[in-house]
């Protein structure tokens, strides 16, 4: 039997339905062999009894009996195949994660292909029928995949080879004659190419978002580095300033104590001199008192009369009525504190000067937006100067334009980071400067307040400076400001105003919450009979070293 089986080719022992070695082989009247269970199940599903190989139709289901000879030969061949498989190299065996051959018994070999018609995966050996048998060559082979049952229509048991665009699902050929009739149906390959192209676009978009986020990471890291530099600088400045202040306080305290102690020593020395002098006079007076008392008890008339002239006059003494010992320490501590305040003021000036230099590094080029300017405002051609005229021009009343408020916005907007610009206000008696949200309603009277999305300071009545903080805060300046610097840190929620020439901080809005674009805002105010005709001028920033 073994010799006989070795003379037969492997495909002669394979059932053309399950593609495995025969189990209980039976023959149809046309002479083709199948596993008994395979052909029985096939006829149970089919409408008519037909040979799967030659397609011959049988009017009545044939009576099937197991072919004992072929069954024994198939069993022998199976043993031989299992022995051969057990000795296969490790590289041919299916490893975890690889698709195994569905036909192999015992040790499963790695599948080489999967058949969409047979719904099975085959190793190199069991794939041979698809490469040799003519009818099986037409089967659709793909790279090995698992769950082939999912590629079959559950309703019609046919391969899902079409795509219904109407219902966005995979269908079989019979589906187009029933539930998906008249639907837009295309071959699976066509939809595959279309979806693959869409995936390509999706992948490109994903890669673009990845790159954006990688750039954002770099930006954040750079911001952290800058923040670290700022923190180190601030710490160094604070150490320097507070060290100087502590040294100044300690020095002032030591000098104050020394002054007081010197005064006290002088007072004590003076008092000692007075006491010594008084004690001397007391000694002289006590001596004279003793002499007078002694003379007053004598009965020698001549002696008393002779001694009386010299003893009757008291010894010469100092008039102590106006003499006093007093040290005044009034104002000593106050003068020491005033000196400390002067030192602190100088340190503050140094800090503000350094701070102004730092914020000037964030200078941006700002120009005025004529589309937002009130009809009475006159803008220069370069968009750097604005003043209020006496005549309201006939301009389009677009939604961006201020009316009735006398104002104009900058063209540039900012929604992140830091920015700084300077405006010359020389010669003006009234103005408004700052930043505003882009969404402010420009067609009504505007309240200058952070509550309404505007952060500004203003000048009124020539020398009255205020921060429009709602309520307003009166500002104290030593001299009239000639040039004002405006600095914004969007993320920090900070808006600061500087007197550029004095290198002094005028006012800061802190803890602000910005959620939209910010625009520079300029209000030159009305002429007031020519008193306020000078323009607001956006000036180039002078970066000092």
């Amino acid at each position: 039997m073994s010799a006989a089986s070795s003379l037969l080719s492997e495909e002669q022992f394979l059932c053309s339905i399950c593609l495995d070695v025969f189990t209980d082989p039976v023959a149809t009247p046309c002479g083709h062999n199948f596993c008994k269970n395979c052909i029985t199940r096939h006829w149970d599903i089919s409408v008519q009894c037909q040979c799967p190989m030659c397609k011959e139709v049988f009017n009545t289901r044939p009576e099937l009996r197991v072919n004992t000879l072929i069954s024994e030969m198939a069993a022998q061949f199976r043993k031989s195949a299992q022995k051969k498989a057990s000795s296969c190299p490790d590289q041919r065996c299916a490893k975890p994660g690889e698709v195994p051959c569905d036909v192999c018994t015992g040790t499963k070999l790695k599948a080489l292909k999967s058949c969409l018609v047979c719904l099975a995966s085959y190793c190199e050996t069991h794939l041979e029928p698809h490469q040799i048998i003519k009818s099986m060559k037409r089967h659709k082979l793909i790279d090995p995949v698992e769950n082939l049952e999912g590629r079959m229509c559950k309703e019609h048991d046919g391969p899902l080879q079409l795509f219904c665009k109407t219902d966005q699902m995979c269908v079989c050929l019979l589906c187009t004659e029933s539930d998906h009739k008249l639907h837009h149906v295309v071959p699976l390959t066509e939809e595959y190419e279309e979806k693959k192209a869409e995936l390509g676009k999706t992948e490109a978009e994903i890669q673009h978002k990845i790159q954006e986020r990688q750039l954002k990471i770099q930006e954040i890291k750079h911001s952290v580095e800058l923040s670290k530099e700022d923190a180190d600088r601030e710490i160094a400045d604070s150490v320097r300033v507070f060290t100087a202040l502590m040294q100044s306080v300690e020095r002032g305290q030591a000098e104050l104590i020394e002054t007081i102690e010197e005064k006290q020593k002088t007072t004590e020395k003076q008092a000692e001199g007075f006491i010594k002098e008084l004690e001397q006079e007391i000694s002289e007076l006590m001596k004279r008192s003793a002499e007078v008392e002694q003379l007053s008890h004598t009965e020698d008339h001549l002696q008393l009369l002779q001694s009386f002239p010299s003893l009757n006059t008291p010894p010469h003494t100092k008039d102590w009525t106006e003499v006093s010992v007093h040290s005044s320490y009034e104002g000593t501590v106050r003068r020491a504190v005033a000196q400390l305040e002067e030192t602190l003021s100088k340190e503050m000036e140094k800090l503000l000067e350094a701070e102004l230099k730092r914020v000037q590094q964030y200078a941006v080029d700002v120009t005025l937006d004529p589309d937002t300017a009130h009809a009475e405002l006159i803008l220069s051609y370069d968009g750097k100067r604005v003043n209020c005229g006496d005549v309201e021009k006939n301009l389009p009343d677009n939604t961006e334009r201020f009316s009735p408020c006398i104002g104009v916005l900058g063209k540039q907007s900012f929604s992140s980071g830091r920015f700084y610009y300077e405006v010359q206000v020389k010669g003006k008696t009234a103005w408004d400067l700052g930043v505003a949200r882009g969404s402010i309603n420009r067609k009504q009277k505007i309240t200058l307040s952070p509550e309404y999305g505007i952060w500004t300071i203003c000048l009124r009545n020539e020398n009255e400076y205020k921060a429009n903080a709602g309520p307003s805060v009166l500002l104290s300046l030593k001299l009239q400001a000639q040039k004002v610097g405006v600095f914004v840190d969007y993320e920090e929620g900070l808006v600061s105003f500087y007197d550029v020439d004095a290198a002094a901080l005028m006012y800061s809005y802190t803890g602000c919450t910005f959620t939209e674009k910010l625009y520079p805002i300029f209000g030159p105010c009305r002429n007031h009979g020519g008193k306020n005709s000078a323009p607001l001028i956006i000036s180039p920033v002078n970066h000092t070293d």
Side-chain angles (χ1 to χ4, degrees):
M1 183 67 69
S2 177
S5 64
S6 64
L7 297 175
L8 299 173
S9 61
E10 184 176 350
E11 61 269 15
Q12 290 177 293
F13 294 99
L14 299 179
C15 171
S16 61
I17 296 177
C18 69
L19 301 179
D20 200 354
V21 179
F22 288 125
T23 302
D24 296 332
V26 294
T28 58
C30 58
H32 293 110
N33 296 307
F34 305 95
C35 296
K36 185 177 181 180
N37 287 338
C38 292
I39 191 63
T40 300
R41 190 166 56 249
H42 178 72
W43 283 344
D44 288 342
I45 296 172
S46 300
V47 178
Q48 56 186 356
C49 291
Q50 185 182 42
C51 176
M53 293 293 290
C54 65
K55 307 302 181 184
E56 181 179 343
V57 178
F58 310 111
N59 295 326
T60 59
R61 180 179 291 196
E63 185 179 350
L64 301 175
R65 293 183 179 179
V66 177
N67 188 321
T68 307
L69 177 61
I70 295 179
S71 179
E72 290 178 356
M73 293 176 67
Q76 184 66 26
F77 180 80
R78 182 180 286 108
K79 289 180 181 179
S80 176
Q82 288 175 349
K83 185 177 181 181
K84 181 180 178 182
S86 64
S87 61
C88 67
D90 290 342
Q91 60 268 25
R92 294 180 56 198
C93 298
K95 299 179 178 62
E98 294 179 336
V99 179
C101 175
D102 291 325
V103 180
C104 289
T105 57
T107 303
K108 295 281 188 178
L109 298 186
K110 181 172 67 175
L112 188 64
K113 292 289 182 180
S114 293
C115 178
L116 296 180
V117 178
C118 303
L119 297 180
S121 299
Y122 305 103
C123 64
E124 184 178 2
T125 301
H126 294 118
L127 185 64
E128 288 182 5
H130 284 79
Q131 300 168 336
I132 298 172
I133 300 174
K134 185 177 180 180
S135 61
M136 300 182 73
K137 285 184 178 180
R138 293 193 294 268
H139 290 191
K140 177 66 175 177
L141 297 176
I142 61 172
D143 289 333
V145 293
E146 293 181 328
N147 190 27
L148 285 166
E149 291 79 7
R151 297 173 177 269
M152 295 296 289
C153 177
K154 294 181 180 179
E155 184 177 351
H156 302 106
D157 202 28
L160 298 171
Q161 53 189 4
L162 300 172
F163 186 81
C164 177
K165 283 183 168 290
T166 306
D167 293 333
Q168 289 293 300
M169 61 184 296
C170 297
V171 297
C172 71
L173 189 59
L174 292 177
C175 289
T176 61
E177 300 298 328
S178 55
D179 295 343
H180 299 272
K181 193 174 183 179
L182 302 179
H183 286 190
H184 184 195
V185 178
V186 297
L188 213 58
T189 53
E190 181 180 325
E191 186 66 18
Y192 165 82
E193 294 298 334
E194 184 177 324
K195 288 293 190 287
K196 191 174 181 181
E198 290 181 10
L199 284 176
K201 292 181 181 178
T202 302
E203 174 65 14
E205 291 175 0
I206 292 173
Q207 289 299 325
H208 179 66
K209 288 183 177 180
I210 290 173
Q211 291 175 2
E212 284 182 337
R213 281 147 184 77
Q214 288 174 338
L215 289 174
K216 180 57 70 175
I217 288 173
Q218 294 177 4
E219 180 184 327
I220 292 172
K221 287 182 177 179
H222 181 62
S223 297
V224 171
E225 291 175 0
L226 292 178
S227 177
K228 181 67 167 57
E229 291 175 3
D230 290 345
D232 291 342
R233 183 182 61 249
E234 290 298 322
I235 290 173
D237 287 345
S238 67
V239 170
R240 178 183 61 79
V241 171
F242 279 90
T243 299
L245 287 175
M246 287 188 290
Q247 290 176 347
S248 179
V249 169
E250 291 172 355
R251 185 171 56 253
Q253 183 186 35
E255 290 175 354
L256 175 61
I257 292 172
E258 184 180 357
T259 300
I260 294 173
E261 289 177 344
E262 286 294 328
K263 279 189 175 183
Q264 180 62 21
K265 286 179 181 179
T266 301
T267 300
E268 290 176 357
K269 188 175 181 180
Q270 185 183 36
E272 287 175 1
F274 288 157
I275 291 171
K276 187 176 181 180
E277 193 174 346
L278 285 167
E279 287 176 343
Q280 231 173 3
E281 288 187 0
I282 289 171
S283 177
E284 290 292 331
L285 289 171
M286 288 179 69
K287 182 180 178 182
R288 180 63 58 89
S289 175
E291 290 175 351
V292 170
E293 184 180 1
Q294 182 181 1
L295 185 63
S296 65
H297 290 92
T298 185
E299 294 184 1
D300 188 340
H301 302 87
L302 179 61
Q303 182 184 6
L304 187 146
L305 292 174
Q306 288 178 339
S307 301
F308 181 82
S310 59
L311 295 177
N312 187 45
T313 304
H316 178 72
T317 57
K318 186 176 179 179
D319 184 4
W320 293 93
T321 306
E322 301 298 329
V323 176
S324 65
V325 177
H326 176 71
S327 292
S328 175
Y329 300 104
E330 289 297 327
T332 306
V333 176
R334 178 182 53 78
R335 285 191 294 272
V337 173
Q339 183 64 39
L340 184 61
E341 286 180 346
E342 184 179 349
T343 302
L344 180 60
S345 178
K346 289 179 180 178
E347 289 295 333
M348 282 294 294
E349 290 176 2
K350 291 178 183 178
L351 285 175
L352 285 171
E353 187 176 349
E355 180 180 319
L356 180 59
K357 289 179 181 179
R358 285 199 299 272
V359 300
Q360 284 177 332
Q361 297 175 4
Y362 300 98
V364 294
D365 184 21
V366 174
T367 52
L368 302 169
D369 185 357
D371 292 336
T372 67
H374 185 277
E376 289 186 28
L377 294 182
I378 302 171
L379 275 62
S380 63
Y381 179 76
D382 62 359
K384 296 292 185 180
R385 302 162 65 99
V386 58
N387 65 294
C388 189
D390 296 320
V391 179
E392 185 170 324
K393 299 184 290 296
N394 185 18
L395 297 173
D397 190 23
N398 51 295
T399 56
E400 294 84 6
R401 192 176 306 283
F402 281 98
S403 176
C405 291
I406 305 295
V408 58
L409 296 180
K411 283 185 178 181
Q412 295 73 21
S413 64
F414 306 89
S415 56
S416 64
R418 302 167 180 172
F419 63 94
Y420 173 85
Y421 61 94
E422 293 179 352
V423 183
Q424 182 178 308
V425 296
K426 183 178 180 180
K428 295 194 68 61
T429 59
W431 48 257
D432 299 285
L433 287 175
V435 292
R437 287 199 301 249
S439 62
I440 58 172
N441 189 342
R442 304 164 202 180
K443 296 303 179 183
Q444 63 182 18
K445 186 176 180 180
I446 296 175
T447 302
L448 298 177
S449 167
E451 183 181 353
Y452 296 93
I454 304 177
W455 295 264
T456 57
I457 63 170
C458 67
L459 170 66
R460 296 292 185 268
N461 305 321
E462 297 188 31
N463 57 8
E464 187 180 302
Y465 295 92
K466 293 186 293 184
N468 301 308
S472 60
V473 178
L474 195 62
L475 307 180
S476 177
L477 274 68
K478 293 180 179 179
L479 298 171
Q480 274 203 321
Q482 305 295 307
K483 187 183 291 185
V484 176
V486 183
F487 173 70
V488 176
D489 187 329
Y490 195 97
E491 284 74 21
E492 189 68 20
L494 174 69
V495 183
S496 295
F497 299 87
Y498 296 88
D499 181 342
V500 177
D501 295 329
L505 178 66
M506 299 173 71
Y507 187 78
S508 281
Y509 291 94
T510 58
C512 309
T513 301
F514 304 131
T515 57
E516 56 181 273
K517 291 180 179 179
L518 295 179
Y519 291 81
I521 186 170
F522 306 83
C525 299
R526 297 189 183 276
N527 273 334
H528 299 305
K531 292 182 179 179
N532 192 38
S533 59
L536 290 175
I537 304 173
I538 301 172
S539 307
V541 176
N542 181 23
H543 296 277
T544 54
D545 296 329

